[in-house]
Amino acid sequence: MKTRDVAVLATAAALAATATAAGAQVARFVVSGDAIDAPLDGRVGDRARGEAIVRDRETGNCLICHAIPEPAERFQGEIGPPLAGVGTRLSAAQLRLRLVDLTRLNPAAIMPAYHRVDGLQRVDPRWAGRPVLDAQAIEDVVAYLSSLKD
């Protein structure tokens, strides 16, 4: 295993403990068109933490549906669009809304709302009342996805 992969896995383990900490609340935000312009809670995202969340099979579990531009990553999804070049196709603000709650743009979307708690059905009691990703984790994933330019 490469040193970089070990670092990403270590970061993911730390994030799993903190990204959905008990009591995590949904940050206030304003939707403007197809985007949320302001970072959630004024947070600054970290690309490396975002990559760890995307790659982690428990925290974000993004790779169950999406593929990232990392050929060594095994078992990448084909249901959602590939994430290679997403930072060129979508702005950080557009990515933020898609992570927070894609159903605001597409009510039939199968992608989970990572930062919503109301109106959900069949929620595991362990997750009831708290978002899958807190505001910092959302901003971290936005930072990583925004960096995927090619």
Side-chain angles (χ1 to χ4, degrees), residues 78-94:
E78 298 175 347
I79 296 170
L83 299 177
V86 71
T88 301
R89 296 187 304 274
L90 298 171
S91 69
Q94 290 171 313

Side-chain angles (χ1 to χ4, degrees), residues 20-33:
T20 57
Q25 300 296 315
V26 174
R28 299 182 100 173
F29 58 87
V30 175
V31 176
S32 177

Side-chain angles (χ1 to χ4, degrees), residues 83-92 95 144-150:
L83 299 177
V86 71
T88 301
R89 296 187 304 274
L90 298 171
S91 69
L95 290 166
Y144 170 62
L145 295 177
S146 293
S147 75
L148 299 179
K149 300 288 188 184
D150 297 322

Side-chain angles (χ1 to χ4, degrees), residues 4-17:
R4 179 175 178 268
D5 291 338
V6 171
V8 167
L9 291 174
T11 303
L15 286 169

Side-chain angles (χ1 to χ4, degrees), residues 15-147:
L15 286 169
T18 61
T20 57
Q25 300 296 315
V26 174
R28 299 182 100 173
F29 58 87
V30 175
V31 176
S32 177
D34 69 342
I36 298 173
D37 294 324
L40 301 182
D41 285 345
R43 307 285 180 133
V44 175
D46 178 270
R47 183 196 178 288
R49 287 192 314 244
E51 180 180 3
I53 292 167
V54 167
R55 293 176 69 166
D56 186 271
R57 300 294 176 161
E58 293 183 26
T59 305
N61 203 16
C62 303
L63 300 183
I64 196 167
C65 295
H66 300 279
I68 59 173
E70 179 59 54
E73 182 70 51
R74 297 179 58 195
F75 308 114
Q76 297 189 48
E78 298 175 347
I79 296 170
L83 299 177
V86 71
T88 301
R89 296 187 304 274
L90 298 171
S91 69
Q94 290 171 313
L95 290 166
R96 187 173 295 110
L97 178 55
R98 282 150 178 80
L99 292 168
V100 166
D101 185 3
L102 182 60
T103 63
R104 288 176 176 254
L105 298 173
N106 176 3
I110 60 171
M111 182 169 153
Y114 282 94
H115 198 70
R116 183 180 100 195
V117 296
D118 61 325
L120 302 176
Q121 299 177 19
R122 298 185 319 225
V123 176
D124 184 310
R126 296 173 296 173
W127 293 99
R130 60 189 178 131
V132 175
L133 297 178
D134 66 15
Q136 183 63 61
I138 292 289
E139 294 306 322
D140 292 341
V141 174
V142 167
Y144 170 62
L145 295 177
S146 293
S147 75

